[in-house]
Amino acid sequence: MGQPALKDAGAGAKVVALPAAAAVVALPRATGKPLSETLAPLAKSVLVTVLPPLVTIALILLFWQIAASGPQSSLPPPSKIWEEARDLITEPFYWAGSQDIGLGWRILVSLQRVAIGFSLAAIVGVLLGALVGQSVWAMRGLDPVFQVLRTVPPLAWLPLSLAAFRDSQPSAIFVIFITAIWPVIINTAVGIRNIPQDYRNVAQVLRLNQVEFFFKIMVPSAAPYIFTGLRIGVGLSWLAIVAAEMLTGGVGIGFFIWDAWNSSRLSDIIVALVYIGVVGFVLDRLVAFIGAIVTRGTAAQ
């Protein structure tokens, strides 16, 4: 911007001529949506997802409270459960001794056993399922055996596992393994059989060996079926460990329920059942979430 110009105004006076006013530049209007419009769909989605279960749970608790409040009721109402088992609900991770611990610690002990047994079942199940699905002779030889063994109840394996391992910890893990492996094998085999022939032709053109074909063609193609089997398997694993711990003892959630029954603590049993249900739901959602990432949304939700 130039310096102000001096003009002669007569009588020796000088008048300073100010520069012309600078042009006012209009700022562009914000094109983004207001925060309220951005949060409105999110809030609506949360309400649609969360509100119906909350209303359902509230109605169940109300009906339960009314039905169990009579003098002839053998089950405690929710209000009595809160009074008798408040510590189990509000302090899940307290520790006062080897057996006097919160339900949170007991859940973690059971989850550790489930993690070991289910991981072994997932690895062995996928390998055996791939073998059965890929080989006609393996299917003819192994499939009838699998169909017979998978109908055996989980707890029927417990006496044999105790006799073989002579310890409750590996016995419980074996029960989880033998319970969870069958849906993994069956679903993996079905997924392998449904691999498109075009994929097999590409593998032949690229001259992939068996290991490369397994990791690059078989597993990605059968992943939706595999994760469906894993979801079924993890649910069965959680059911099996609770039942096995009732008989093998220890500090797991299953033994806690059996001990509470022997002590006539019905409120503690009901609280433990709620814990079991919530953890089972979380496990199922976790496997489904991993499956959605691996299969890019093609696995069943």
Side-chain angles (χ1 to χ4, degrees):
M1 183 179 295
Q3 295 294 328
L6 296 178
K7 295 184 179 179
D8 190 359
K14 300 291 183 179
V15 178
V16 179
L18 297 176
V24 178
V25 180
L27 296 176
R29 294 183 179 181
T31 58
K33 294 182 179 179
L35 183 60
S36 59
E37 295 183 7
T38 304
L39 295 179
L42 179 61
K44 182 179 179 180
S45 177
V46 172
L47 287 177
V48 170
T49 305
V50 176
L51 188 58
L54 291 180
V55 173
T56 303
I57 293 173
L59 292 176
I60 292 175
L61 292 177
L62 178 61
F63 176 78
W64 183 3
Q65 179 69 32
I66 296 174
S69 297
Q72 297 181 350
S73 177
S74 58
L75 294 177
S79 58
K80 186 177 180 180
I81 294 174
W82 174 255
E83 293 176 0
E84 296 179 349
R86 182 182 304 177
D87 294 341
L88 296 177
I89 301 173
T90 59
E91 299 180 12
F93 290 100
Y94 78 88
W95 187 290
S98 59
Q99 284 294 337
D100 189 10
I101 59 178
L103 287 182
W105 294 116
R106 297 181 183 275
I107 290 289
L108 291 178
V109 172
S110 299
L111 283 176
Q112 181 182 8
R113 295 168 177 165
V114 169
I116 298 173
F118 177 69
S119 298
L120 294 174
I123 296 172
V124 178
V126 170
L127 294 176
L128 287 178
L131 176 63
V132 172
Q134 185 68 11
S135 173
V136 176
W137 289 105
M139 181 185 67
R140 292 175 180 175
L142 295 176
D143 186 67
V145 178
F146 293 161
Q147 297 300 332
V148 172
L149 293 180
R150 74 182 183 89
T151 60
V152 178
L155 291 184
W157 295 99
L158 187 58
L160 291 179
S161 61
L162 287 172
F165 298 106
R166 301 182 182 275
D167 189 7
S168 61
Q169 179 78 356
S171 299
I173 293 174
F174 175 78
V175 170
I176 297 170
F177 169 82
I178 204 67
T179 303
I181 193 173
W182 309 122
V184 180
I185 292 176
I186 294 172
N187 282 272
T188 302
V190 173
I192 297 299
R193 294 193 198 109
N194 283 277
I195 295 178
Q197 185 60 39
D198 293 340
Y199 292 2
R200 300 180 184 274
N201 296 336
V202 171
Q204 292 178 356
V205 171
L206 297 178
R207 296 182 179 179
L208 300 179
N209 57 40
Q210 291 299 323
V211 176
E212 293 174 335
F213 179 72
F214 177 79
F215 285 104
K216 294 183 179 181
I217 302 295
M218 294 173 65
V219 173
S221 300
Y225 294 90
I226 293 174
F227 276 95
T228 299
L230 291 176
R231 287 184 64 182
I232 299 173
V234 75
L236 294 177
S237 298
W238 190 235
L239 294 176
I241 188 57
V242 173
E245 287 176 344
M246 288 184 178
L247 301 179
T248 59
V251 295
I253 189 67
F255 176 74
F256 174 83
I257 293 176
W258 188 249
D259 182 64
W261 165 252
N262 291 330
S263 303
S264 300
R265 304 194 311 268
L266 294 181
S267 297
D268 292 1
I269 295 176
I270 294 174
V271 173
L273 293 179
V274 174
Y275 272 82
I276 292 172
V278 172
V279 172
F281 174 78
V282 171
L283 290 176
D284 178 79
R285 291 289 90 194
L286 179 61
V287 176
F289 176 72
I290 298 174
I293 294 176
V294 173
T295 63
R296 299 180 181 179
T298 58
Q301 296 296 310

